[in-house]
């Protein structure tokens, strides 16, 4: 699990932003700027909470990790997944937004926009197809009811049967 965390979220949230800041000018936010500091704090704590919560759900409920080499074996629709299909990515978006405010860095903000754009393409074109192959109708119902990145107001409750017969096996 630690290997997956170091490779995936750590690189996106730490390694790449450090390189961007190293090669570009930035200015830390001034401590007198209460509202910007408050917004940064809210974005960062919300983002980290989502990331940590989803990593725990992957390990405990899905019996896997966020890494493709150790995928989850159960569709998770509880916790933050009852509100949004990609809470971990939403958490990463929030943390990157907090970083761009904290360091007052336009290059970090552009990186956030590029990262969002890439994921807006990747998920419908690749990951969602794989989830459908793995979980079948259960995933389609979930997908119809839960938005990809913007959380719904009330938690999703599945109406699909919980037995293995509702899971479509991957087809070659």
């Amino acid at each position: 699990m630690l290997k997956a965390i170091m490779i995936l979220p750590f690189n996106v949230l730490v390694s790449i932003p450090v390189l961007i800041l190293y090669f570009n000018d930035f200015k830390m936010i001034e401590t007198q700027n209460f509202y910007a500091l408050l917004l940064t704090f809210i974005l960062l704590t919300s983002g980290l909470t989502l990331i940590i919560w989803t990593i725990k759900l992957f390990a405990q409920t899905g019996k896997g990790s966020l890494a493709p080499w150790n995928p989850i074996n159960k569709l998770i629709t509880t916790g933050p997944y009852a509100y949004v299909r990609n809470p971990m990515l939403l958490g990463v978006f929030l943390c990157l937004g907090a970083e761009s405010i904290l360091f007052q860095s336009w290059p970090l903000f552009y990186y956030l926009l590029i990262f969002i754009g890439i994921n807006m393409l990747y998920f419908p074109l690749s990951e969602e197809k794989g989830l459908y192959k793995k979980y079948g109708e259960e995933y389609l119902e979930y997908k119809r009811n839960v938005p990809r990145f913007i959380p719904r107001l009330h938690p999703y409750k599945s109406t699909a049967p919980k037995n293995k017969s509702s899971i479509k096996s991957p087809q070659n």
Side-chain angles (χ1 to χ4, degrees):
M1 179 68 86
L2 183 60
K3 181 177 166 184
I5 293 169
M6 293 302 291
I7 291 173
L8 301 167
F10 185 82
N11 277 328
V12 170
L13 291 173
V14 179
S15 302
I16 294 170
V18 164
L19 286 172
I20 290 170
L21 293 173
Y22 180 80
F23 289 107
N24 293 279
D25 291 332
F26 69 93
K27 178 182 169 193
M28 288 285 288
I29 198 166
E30 295 180 11
T31 55
Q32 302 91 324
N33 195 339
F34 174 77
Y35 294 109
L37 282 173
L38 180 62
L39 178 60
T40 301
F41 177 77
I42 291 169
L43 292 174
L44 190 60
T45 55
S46 300
L48 287 174
T49 299
L50 280 173
I51 292 168
I52 292 166
W53 193 356
T54 56
I55 288 171
K56 286 175 93 172
L57 280 171
F58 271 44
Q60 294 169 351
T61 304
K63 305 294 185 213
S65 75
L66 58 141
W69 59 84
N70 184 25
I72 60 171
N73 60 16
K74 177 182 185 283
L75 182 63
I76 301 171
T77 60
T78 59
Y81 286 93
Y83 296 89
V84 66
R85 288 197 319 258
N86 299 97
M88 183 177 302
L89 263 179
L90 180 58
V92 171
F93 297 163
L94 294 172
C95 288
L96 287 175
E99 289 177 355
S100 67
I101 295 169
L102 179 65
F103 295 108
Q104 296 184 26
S105 170
W106 283 107
L108 271 183
F109 181 71
Y110 299 143
Y111 167 58
L112 167 62
L113 294 179
I114 291 167
F115 187 75
I116 290 172
I118 289 169
N119 283 286
M120 297 283 282
L121 293 172
Y122 169 75
F123 276 88
L125 296 176
S126 178
E127 185 156 311
E128 289 179 356
K129 290 178 182 178
L131 290 169
Y132 173 68
K133 283 182 179 177
K134 188 170 185 178
Y135 301 110
E137 288 301 317
E138 181 184 9
Y139 178 72
L140 283 183
E141 180 201 337
Y142 175 68
K143 182 179 170 184
R144 281 190 296 271
N145 289 285
V146 180
R148 187 178 295 130
F149 294 118
I150 299 172
R152 54 187 275 149
L153 296 177
H154 303 288
Y156 164 74
K157 294 192 186 338
S158 175
T159 57
K162 300 276 187 213
N163 62 31
K164 296 228 180 228
S165 65
S166 69
I167 299 175
K168 184 179 179 183
S169 62
Q171 296 180 9
N172 296 334

